[in-house]
Amino acid sequence: MIITIPTTPYSDQRPGTSGLRKKVRLFQRPHYAANFIQAVFDCVPGKPGASLVVGGDGRYFNREAIQLALRMAAANGFAHAIVGCGGVLSTPAASHLIRLRGAVGGLIFSASHNPGGPDEDFGIKYNIANGGPAPETVTEAIFARTQVIKQYATLDTPDIDLDQRGACRLGDMSVEIIDPVADYAALMETLFDFAAIRAHRQSGFSLIFDAMHAVTGPYAIEILQRRLGFENGSVVNGVPLPDFGGGHPDPNLVNARALYERMMARGAPDFGAASDGDGDRNLVIGRGRYVSPSDALAILAANAHLAPGYAKGLAGIARSMPTSAAADHVAAALEIALYETPTGWKFFGNLLDAGLATICGEESAGAGSDHVREKDGLWAVLLWLNILAVRRLSVDALIQDHWRRFGRNYYVRHDYEGIESSQAESLIQALRAKLSSLPGQAFGSLIVKAADDFAYTDPVDGSISRNQGLRILFTNGSRMVFRLSGTGTVGATLRLYLEHYVAADGDLAMSLSDALADLIAAAQAVAELESRIGRSQPDVVT
Ligand code: G16
């Protein structure tokens, strides 16, 4: 029976860079999750007769949220729900399912790379019919609904068995519980030359994949071990756990330290990789060689034609503004367009739908293509494996070869975490206020050429997104960017992105700290980091 529950608005339900992310305890407040889900459903046109995809990364509170969402979906008139068995779907697999099954959209329960557990993070993200994250117009409409909500609709029914594959009913809605891996694995087989990767493996090529006790475990075991034949144990931490085993499922050099150390040690496998909580990010480390996500995007774009799914070439490349310009050099060489978008995968959706870009990537460990509308960690791993199987080079040799061809964008990101929000805001405001006076000013040997607050006009629908990061460009081609993260749940995180380009005939073998020392000093000075936020060192360097 459909029941209507009275409720009152919460003021803090504006989605951030990627959905609504909060502490679990906040989601557990009365009606908190229900309010947001009802606001989403109020903004979905055409619910009668429509299908909805539902899944999450398996973190703490996932099952409760899914049971609630399914009852509410039935009460809101959806005809059909497609749910990953156990309530599990990786974000890219959910994106694929929405497209494959012609669903009107999907609810993905995840806080991505943020930690999980009763005192940690949870999140709800809505993806639209193209499989991609809801664009800003939709997320703003959802937020507006949360501010006036008075009631939500649900069913007065017991929980369904999420672990039993097959069909069942919830009120008038049919529910299909499916294998979360099968459709995604089949898609990967259409894009990549699995036979070539298998042959490379048979010639001795080895890998390790760290699933970080997050959602990619079952996907990686099926694809890497069962279908490609890498030996059992190649996938480590492969069992998804509600608290990710107490770890922080962010595949960077801090949280995937054990993988990094193994890849730098004697006897390391040829290739190491990791993915995050919901399977959309990737980390790639060759034996003795870390690959920055910005370089990885450029290398994947330059070599994608070696994989069957991309054999006819790329229409264009898109990257977020703070991502280094390494991919720009590839786009220029290939004579294809390069799009520079704000941070957030949602900005790539229109470019992919319109066929303007084929491959997209971000400095935040994300890469993907037009095969889905999300970034995709295992896709990136498979594209690397396909490229290495064809070129038969080590990761280190491949990257050196790339730099000798395109030059090197020395690049680093500094994160200052847990800053008091008001201090972070005033730092950004103060810096924004002086942008126009910066051109011509010298910071050590660096002279400012231009400075602005990045704004983006979507070339497809003309929508404008302002205040997307403060950029300071120097006459020698170096660049720094300041912006506040939109994915944290405690205080504010200031991100500082630093980049220095050296052409192919220059010194390609500097250490990052040498190459970027002047820029780091300039950033401290221009933003007055120490006096404004009391920090002289970042918390995380990636
Ligand atoms: C999300 C977005 C990405 C973004 C990243 C970091 O990733 O989808 O587009 O680059 O957050 O954003 P911010 O710098 O605002 O923290 P994920 O993997 O968390 O969904």
Side-chain angles (χ1 to χ4, degrees):
M1 190 183 76
I2 296 178
I3 49 174
T4 303
I5 313 266
T7 187
T8 50
Y10 285 92
S11 62
D12 63 346
Q13 294 198 320
R14 173 175 261 132
T17 308
S18 184
L20 185 70
R21 281 189 200 168
K22 301 280 175 198
K23 290 287 171 205
V24 166
R25 304 255 183 236
L26 298 183
F27 271 104
Q28 289 170 325
R29 284 177 292 174
H31 313 307
Y32 191 86
N35 277 16
F36 188 74
I37 293 168
Q38 184 64 55
V40 169
F41 289 163
D42 287 345
C43 296
V44 178
K47 289 183 282 286
S51 298
L52 182 74
V53 168
V54 180
D57 63 12
R59 71 177 57 224
Y60 187 87
F61 199 57
N62 192 47
R63 284 171 178 266
E64 293 89 327
I66 287 180
Q67 297 285 0
L68 172 70
L70 289 173
R71 279 194 282 266
M72 290 181 63
N76 275 272
F78 286 95
H80 187 59
I82 304 155
V83 188
C85 191
V88 164
L89 278 177
S90 78
T91 288
S95 180
H96 176 51
L97 264 182
I98 294 169
R99 298 165 64 75
L100 182 71
R101 303 292 290 273
V104 73
L107 279 172
I108 303 173
F109 295 93
S110 169
S112 189
H113 55 289
N114 297 14
D119 296 315
E120 298 296 354
D121 294 354
F122 192 72
I124 306 180
K125 194 166 81 142
Y126 182 66
N127 283 27
I128 59 173
N130 75 350
E136 269 188 347
T137 45
V138 177
T139 56
E140 281 302 304
I142 292 169
F143 175 62
R145 279 300 301 163
T146 65
Q147 297 310 290
V148 294
I149 192 161
K150 292 195 175 69
Q151 59 188 42
Y152 62 89
T154 186
L155 295 186
D156 186 12
T157 51
D159 285 353
I160 60 167
D161 185 354
L162 292 174
D163 298 303
Q164 188 64 46
R165 278 190 220 165
C168 63
R169 292 199 78 78
L170 257 178
D172 290 338
M173 183 177 81
S174 56
V175 181
E176 192 184 345
I177 311 260
I178 61 156
D179 174 353
V181 176
D183 291 315
Y184 176 83
L187 174 66
M188 293 300 114
E189 293 224 35
T190 67
L191 298 173
F192 301 113
D193 188 345
F194 275 40
I197 299 172
R198 273 194 292 266
H200 196 203
R201 172 187 59 75
Q202 277 158 359
S203 73
F205 177 84
S206 57
L207 70 73
I208 178 171
F209 179 88
D210 187 346
M212 303 187 92
H213 287 303
V215 78
T216 42
Y219 295 84
I221 288 169
E222 173 63 26
I223 294 170
L224 299 177
Q225 293 186 180
R226 295 213 185 96
R227 299 197 186 195
L228 289 169
F230 287 98
E231 65 185 45
N232 288 346
S234 301
V235 176
V236 296
N237 301 322
V239 178
L241 297 172
D243 66 349
F244 308 114
H248 190 147
D250 187 354
N252 62 26
L253 297 183
V254 175
N255 298 306
R257 194 74 202 167
L259 175 71
Y260 176 79
E261 275 161 13
R262 179 145 177 208
M263 292 307 298
M264 295 299 140
R266 285 163 74 89
D270 294 292
F271 185 84
S275 190
D276 70 333
D278 62 333
D280 55 3
R281 297 183 175 209
N282 76 89
L283 167 72
V284 164
I285 311 176
R287 180 188 295 132
R289 168 64 69 182
Y290 163 68
V291 187
S292 81
S294 293
D295 275 342
L297 171 65
I299 291 169
L300 293 180
N303 294 280
H305 61 280
L306 301 175
Y310 306 93
K312 57 182 197 316
L314 309 179
I317 306 171
R319 64 165 173 84
S320 66
M321 181 274 283
T323 303
S324 95
D328 303 27
H329 303 294
V330 175
L334 295 176
E335 299 183 1
I336 57 176
L338 184 286
Y339 299 90
E340 189 178 32
T341 64
T343 294
W345 205 263
K346 58 192 171 198
F347 292 102
F348 295 135
N350 277 350
L351 300 172
L352 294 166
D353 284 351
L356 296 175
T358 308
I359 283 193
C360 309
E362 294 186 287
E363 51 68 37
S364 57
S369 85
D370 58 0
H371 69 292
V372 291
R373 293 294 180 273
E374 288 277 4
K375 57 187 183 278
D376 188 343
L378 267 171
W379 169 90
V381 168
L382 291 167
L383 182 50
W384 272 99
L385 295 182
N386 198 147
I387 291 166
L388 294 170
V390 174
R391 294 198 56 184
R392 299 282 171 136
L393 291 173
S394 70
V395 171
D396 184 46
L398 186 66
I399 199 166
Q400 305 276 359
D401 176 70
H402 186 89
W403 290 335
R404 278 194 298 273
R405 198 169 150 210
F406 297 100
R408 177 171 182 186
N409 291 72
Y410 289 94
Y411 181 87
V412 79
R413 184 178 100 186
H414 287 183
D415 292 341
Y416 297 82
E417 296 179 338
I419 308 171
E420 206 193 296
S421 298
S422 59
Q423 282 188 352
E425 285 295 343
S426 65
L427 181 148
I428 291 289
Q429 273 169 24
L431 191 53
R432 185 179 285 131
K434 66 175 165 188
L435 286 178
S436 60
S437 66
L438 289 177
Q441 281 193 39
F443 292 87
S445 60
L446 295 168
I447 296 166
V448 177
K449 183 177 166 202
D452 68 2
D453 191 348
F454 181 63
Y456 176 66
T457 303
D458 185 302
V460 178
D461 65 17
S463 59
I464 299 174
S465 302
R466 298 184 204 281
N467 302 332
Q468 297 294 327
L470 307 181
R471 299 191 290 190
I472 303 176
L473 314 168
F474 295 90
T475 51
N476 70 347
S478 293
R479 179 181 85 148
M480 64 177 70
V481 176
F482 295 85
R483 63 177 280 279
L484 298 181
S485 161
T487 56
T489 56
V490 183
T493 295
L494 174 71
R495 300 205 196 285
L496 165 60
Y497 313 82
L498 302 150
E499 177 177 0
H500 174 60
Y501 177 64
V502 172
D505 58 356
D507 186 351
L508 302 174
M510 283 185 273
S511 71
L512 275 179
S513 49
D514 284 348
L516 298 170
D518 292 353
L519 263 179
I520 292 171
Q524 290 274 352
V526 75
E528 304 162 54
L529 288 180
E530 198 149 2
S531 64
R532 287 192 173 275
I533 58 171
R535 309 277 180 95
S536 57
Q537 294 295 327
D539 299 286
V540 180
V541 176
T542 47

